């Protein structure tokens, strides 16, 4: 669909993409993690898009199996949510993914 | 107001009360913390109350200054959110509050 193409091109054209909700603390946490390590992700706030927000969430669910926020992509690859990203960072596996994606 | 009285009697009649939202990970975290230490809080899911949910959130904001979820009370006293409760637990200050409230 048109919206699926939008998501696919967004995540392939930007090194780090976070689909988020402005009032969600898990979304805030993952955004803060990226900023702490000097990476400026492309952030898409699903609750600021009107009716397209829930539609995008459904598309993300179809494409990744994940309906929840935050939904993180690095180098076009689906990473997961907040806990997944934090775990990768703790294990030292986030940096190599970011470097390969040209995010820093 | 009637709703204010409801909140006041709920938090004074139950040792631990958590105002929560079912889909919020911070709410889930604080509920899991209480269960981990053997305490069964009274949980009120604001997103399952229809129009009363947002009204209750406004009342909680008036009574405690806090609009966000989770909103935690112990022994009738306003504790705060998830990070506040976790901090108290880490400092060993949660247990004494729970004992004084007769929660365990
Ligand atoms: N473990 C996941 C949890 C994600 C999650 O449950 N997100 C919640 C908000 S914090 C959500 O999107 N809830 C919406 C829903 O369940 O419909 C992560 O770390 O991202
Ligand atoms: N530090 C607070 C954060 C609370 C918070 O921001 N809660 C969010 C959901 S995770 C909320 O209620 N957002 C609704 C809003 O901001 O309107 C805590 O630990 O509880
Ligand atoms: S909505 Fe509460 S942590 Fe996401």
């Amino acid at each position: 669909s048109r919206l699926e193409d939008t998501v696919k091109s967004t995540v392939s054209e930007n090194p780090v993409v976070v689909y988020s909700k402005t009032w969600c603390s898990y979304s805030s946490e993952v955004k803060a993690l990226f900023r702490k390590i000097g990476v400026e992700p492309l952030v898409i706030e699903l609750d600021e898009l009107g009716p397209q927000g829930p539609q995008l969430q459904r598309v993300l669910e179809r494409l990744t199996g994940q309906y929840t926020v935050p939904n993180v992509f690095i180098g076009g690859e689906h990473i997961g949510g907040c806990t997944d990203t934090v775990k990768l960072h703790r294990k030292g596996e986030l940096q190599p993914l970011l470097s390969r994606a040209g995010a820093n």
Side-chain angles (χ1 to χ4, degrees), chain A residues 66-85:
Chain A
Q66 182 186 326
Y67 173 74
T68 57
V69 288
N71 203 331
V72 179
F73 294 79
I74 298 177
E77 203 187 307
H78 179 240
I79 298 299
C82 174
T83 45
D84 306 304
T85 308

Side-chain angles (χ1 to χ4, degrees), chain A residues 23-27 69:
Chain A
W23 36 259
C24 165
S25 300
Y26 261 38
S27 296
V69 288

Side-chain angles (χ1 to χ4, degrees), chain A residues 30-104:
Chain A
V30 87
K31 288 183 279 189
L33 171 59
F34 283 123
R35 301 207 165 113
K36 195 180 80 186
I37 57 183
V39 168
E40 202 50 56
L42 174 71
V43 174
I44 295 164
E45 302 288 2
L46 295 174
D47 58 315
E48 295 189 327
L49 303 174
Q52 259 212 348
Q55 286 169 8
L56 258 175
Q57 253 187 297
R58 287 284 160 233
V59 166
L60 286 165
E61 185 177 29
R62 268 208 309 280
L63 291 174
T64 67
Q66 182 186 326
Y67 173 74
T68 57
V69 288
N71 203 331
V72 179
F73 294 79
I74 298 177
E77 203 187 307
H78 179 240
I79 298 299
C82 174
T83 45
D84 306 304
T85 308
V86 167
K87 262 189 212 137
L88 285 171
H89 178 57
R90 288 218 182 106
K91 294 191 301 192
E93 293 173 15
L94 193 60
Q95 201 51 50
L97 286 173
L98 292 168
S99 304
R100 219 169 50 211
N104 52 10

